[in-house]
Amino acid sequence: MGAIRDKRHLIVPKEPAVEPYRPPKRRVLPRPLPGPEDRLTHAAALRTSLQKAEQEALEQRAALGLTVHGAQPGIYVQFESLPGIDLNVKSLEDRRQRIEVVAVQTVKSGSDGDPVQRATVFIPDGKLKHFFTRFEQYATEQTSKGEPRHKDMVDRIADVRRAALRELWTDAVTAYPREHETIWWEVWLRVHDGHEVERLCEFARVVGLHMGEQRLVFDDRIVVLVRATPEQLSGSIDVLNDVAEVRRAKESAAFFVDMSRQDQLAWAEDFSRRITRPPTDAPAVCILDTGVASGHPLLQPVIDQSGVTSVDPTWGGHDDGGGPGRMGHGTEMAGLAAYGDLTPLLSGSALVRVHHRLESVKILPPRGDNHPNLYGAITAQAVSRAEILAPDRRRVFSLAVTANDQRDRGQPTSWSAAIDALAAGRIFDR
């Protein structure tokens, strides 16, 4: 039995009441479906477009020159509706022939136009006849009511074209990557024979793509992560019959935190090559903490050894953690000050322009703590050290070191008074 939850945020001021259903007074009629002026011409145009899509797909497959074992050849076709009219999506698939609608999108047809619906359909090789037959029957046959056969399917279709990778994109339009941008993709695979992931792995191995290790399995879909550019991944829909849709993967730091040190180093080195160094006279963020590991590949471009010091010269400016429980804290704060959230930067491929530099003044001893009453004076001394080393540099100070107890509970202390005085520009006499 699950835990009892007291949902105090859900307020029901009155007791529920039961009311009988009352049908609307006004009859709501469906919007009439406009037919083409000449259904023979309309059917011929759709047939020609479908033949063109088939030819383009075959040419693209031949140009790629790649075969994946067990993949069922086929093409992805996009059907587009008339403005303001939905497609009859169910009529576009036939599971018995493995013709499947894999993605449906609604987009604006213009700045002020009615929306159009687009359905992307996977059609195995040899099964295009399914649609050619319907187009022919639409043009030449009638039902018992005198309507063209398959009218509700064909009248709604305005255009047919070969679908590219973008047509399988079901995420926000603005999230689609740039042409040469490398991102992590969520690739949704259709489940039909149990070897979908194996085929994608083979494709990734041949093309040189990196795949994530985790899998998310649903009844009819398997979701995997693939790191690629749009150009690299686009070939998958020409040689695989498994891709249903693609999205941008949700970025999480856990992916990088959980990987091996060797893999972390490889990602860090890739990122470091994309960093644009700030100018030497750029403003700085001065970290007052446990020191920094200035040799870190992501800190080297933004920090000079001349800007790394400590309030006690015998401590050194390096980050030795300042004792148990604080290992690497100064270096971590420096990374946060330099780049913010590293997750999208590591997973991206764009240049990273940094507009400020880093400085560091170590205020914690290698072992143990400073005397509590001295923290105000130590902070003031650290500020002076940075200003003496580079008196003309504009800077802000980052102090993320706090007391271990809560006894002051917001009351003024000598430490907070010293920080207030520093902020007001007061000079401390030694």
Side-chain angles (χ1 to χ4, degrees):
M1 180 177 178
I4 298 176
R5 295 183 175 89
D6 183 9
K7 301 179 177 62
R8 298 182 180 180
H9 58 291
L10 298 178
I11 302 174
V12 182
K14 297 180 180 180
E15 291 294 324
V18 178
E19 295 185 0
Y21 171 75
R22 297 183 180 88
K25 295 180 181 179
R26 181 179 176 183
R27 186 182 178 188
V28 179
L29 297 175
R31 181 175 177 179
L33 181 63
E37 295 182 2
D38 187 336
R39 73 171 189 261
L40 294 176
T41 302
H42 182 54
L46 294 180
R47 181 183 180 91
T48 300
S49 297
L50 190 56
Q51 289 172 330
K52 180 181 178 182
E54 179 186 26
Q55 184 63 31
E56 291 176 352
L58 294 176
E59 291 175 356
Q60 183 66 23
R61 191 187 306 169
L64 192 62
L66 175 62
T67 301
V68 175
H69 178 73
Q72 178 187 15
I75 67 171
Y76 289 85
V77 175
Q78 185 182 80
F79 294 84
E80 183 173 290
S81 74
L82 296 165
I85 302 294
D86 286 342
L87 294 166
N88 186 345
V89 175
K90 289 185 178 180
S91 69
L92 297 177
E93 68 178 6
D94 187 335
R95 293 300 182 98
R96 295 171 301 177
Q97 300 190 61
R98 305 187 72 175
I99 298 172
E100 182 179 347
V101 175
V102 295
V104 179
Q105 301 170 312
T106 299
V107 298
K108 288 186 176 180
S109 59
S111 57
D112 298 319
D114 290 329
V116 298
Q117 193 175 50
R118 294 170 178 169
T120 303
V121 182
F122 173 77
I123 308 173
D125 282 0
K127 301 300 182 180
L128 284 176
K129 183 180 178 181
H130 172 81
F131 291 97
F132 291 142
T133 299
R134 276 159 174 70
F135 295 159
E136 180 67 22
Q137 291 172 337
Y138 168 81
T140 60
E141 299 179 15
Q142 291 186 342
T143 66
S144 59
K145 296 182 179 180
E147 297 284 353
R149 288 194 64 184
H150 309 298
K151 170 182 171 62
D152 195 51
M153 167 191 168
V154 184
D155 272 0
R156 297 172 181 271
I157 302 173
D159 193 17
V160 179
R161 65 176 68 89
R162 170 181 171 267
L165 183 67
R166 185 182 287 270
E167 279 66 63
L168 297 181
W169 182 260
T170 55
D171 214 335
V173 175
T174 55
Y176 195 81
R178 298 183 298 275
E179 182 178 1
H180 300 296
E181 181 182 1
T182 302
I183 69 165
W184 280 103
W185 304 72
E186 281 186 8
V187 180
W188 292 59
L189 303 174
R190 301 183 301 117
V191 175
H192 51 92
D193 66 1
H195 300 288
E196 298 81 14
V197 176
E198 295 176 21
R199 287 189 286 270
L200 183 59
C201 287
E202 181 179 344
F203 172 82
R205 187 166 53 252
V206 173
V207 179
L209 308 182
H210 185 77
M211 287 188 62
E213 296 181 359
Q214 301 297 323
R215 309 283 188 268
L216 187 59
V217 181
F218 299 102
D219 289 341
D220 61 345
R221 293 289 186 266
I222 300 177
V223 186
V224 297
L225 294 181
V226 178
R227 182 168 169 80
T229 65
E231 182 181 11
Q232 291 172 323
L233 190 60
S234 63
S236 64
I237 68 172
D238 295 309
V239 298
L240 300 177
N241 60 312
D242 306 308
V243 182
E245 57 182 289
V246 291
R247 304 178 186 178
R248 182 183 283 264
K250 303 301 181 287
E251 295 166 342
S252 170
F255 172 79
F256 300 103
V257 173
D258 294 340
M259 65 174 48
S260 67
R261 289 185 177 274
Q262 183 177 1
D263 288 340
Q264 287 178 344
L265 178 60
W267 282 87
E269 290 175 344
D270 171 76
F271 175 48
S272 66
R273 289 190 289 268
R274 295 185 280 113
I275 298 172
T276 301
R277 296 173 180 265
T280 55
D281 59 348
V285 177
C286 185
I287 310 296
L288 309 183
D289 212 287
T290 63
V292 295
S294 57
H296 192 286
L298 300 187
L299 295 182
Q300 281 183 333
V302 296
I303 192 168
D304 293 326
Q305 189 58 41
S306 61
V308 178
T309 185
S310 63
V311 294
D312 186 332
T314 64
W315 293 351
H318 61 285
D319 187 357
D320 50 27
R326 295 195 300 256
M327 189 60 63
H329 188 267
T331 300
E332 293 170 349
M333 293 306 302
L336 186 62
Y339 304 109
D341 185 3
L342 278 173
T343 305
L345 301 179
L346 286 169
S347 59
S349 58
L351 293 177
V352 178
R353 187 175 299 277
V354 184
H355 299 282
H356 60 279
R357 304 192 68 81
L358 293 181
E359 298 173 331
S360 171
V361 182
K362 190 174 184 176
I363 65 171
L364 290 171
R367 292 290 181 270
D369 291 316
N370 295 303
H371 193 283
N373 293 331
L374 294 180
Y375 271 108
I378 288 173
T379 302
Q381 185 179 358
V383 170
S384 296
R385 290 269 183 178
E387 292 176 339
I388 290 171
L389 288 174
D392 298 327
R393 174 171 288 158
R394 295 170 296 161
R395 62 173 56 81
V396 296
F397 292 91
S398 171
L399 176 63
V401 177
T402 58
N404 293 328
D405 57 65
Q406 301 180 12
R407 67 181 187 275
D408 299 312
R409 304 186 70 83
Q411 297 298 315
T413 64
S414 62
W415 193 2
S416 66
I419 293 175
D420 290 342
L422 289 167
R426 176 181 170 183
I427 299 176
F428 284 78
D429 295 326
R430 299 192 60 166

